Amino acid sequence: MGNLTVTMTDAEGGTHTFSDVEEGVSLMELGRRNGVAGIMGDCGGGCACATCHVYVDERWWDKVGAPDDVEFAMLDMVADVMKDTSRLGCQVRMSPQLDGLAVTVAPASGY
């Protein structure tokens, strides 16, 4: 059991707050483990799909940071629903500086 907190708003609008998140766990792992609607993680966390696409709350963007080139290329696959604060959940790993992080699961892409 960890001591970090994350709030996820799922693809259906439900809010889930997890207060026992371990350091190093990705948002994709957390979402899949807890059945968060819209987090599929089809590639298992290999940054090879975009089925764990989330929008980072703007207040957290500077701490989470922008995607690297590989992640951005994957996000381009869902350009129709991409936003300035888009990240792949598999690429965001929890750390003490992200304690309290809030994200929203992106809707499925029409591609």
Side-chain angles (χ1 to χ4, degrees):
M1 301 284 276
N3 62 350
L4 304 174
T5 300
V6 176
T7 299
M8 290 183 159
T9 301
D10 67 30
E12 299 169 354
T15 301
H16 310 270
T17 299
F18 306 105
S19 58
D20 59 351
V21 181
E22 295 176 8
E23 186 171 349
V25 170
S26 74
L27 295 179
M28 183 274 300
E29 292 168 321
L30 180 65
R32 281 180 58 175
R33 185 182 311 146
N34 290 286
V36 174
I39 297 285
M40 276 110 26
D42 290 346
C43 73
C47 196
C49 70
T51 61
C52 63
H53 179 195
V54 297
Y55 304 132
V56 175
D57 184 292
E58 290 180 3
R59 295 169 293 179
W60 287 93
W61 183 250
D62 288 339
K63 289 184 180 184
V64 172
D68 65 18
D69 291 342
V70 173
E71 181 181 352
F72 190 79
M74 288 297 106
L75 285 166
D76 193 47
M77 292 174 32
V78 292
D80 61 324
V81 293
M82 188 175 158
K83 293 184 177 182
D84 289 341
T85 59
S86 286
R87 289 294 308 266
L88 296 181
C90 65
Q91 299 302 296
V92 178
R93 296 203 170 270
M94 289 304 297
S95 64
Q97 51 268 39
L98 296 182
D99 185 28
L101 177 63
V103 299
T104 299
V105 177
S109 173
Y111 286 133

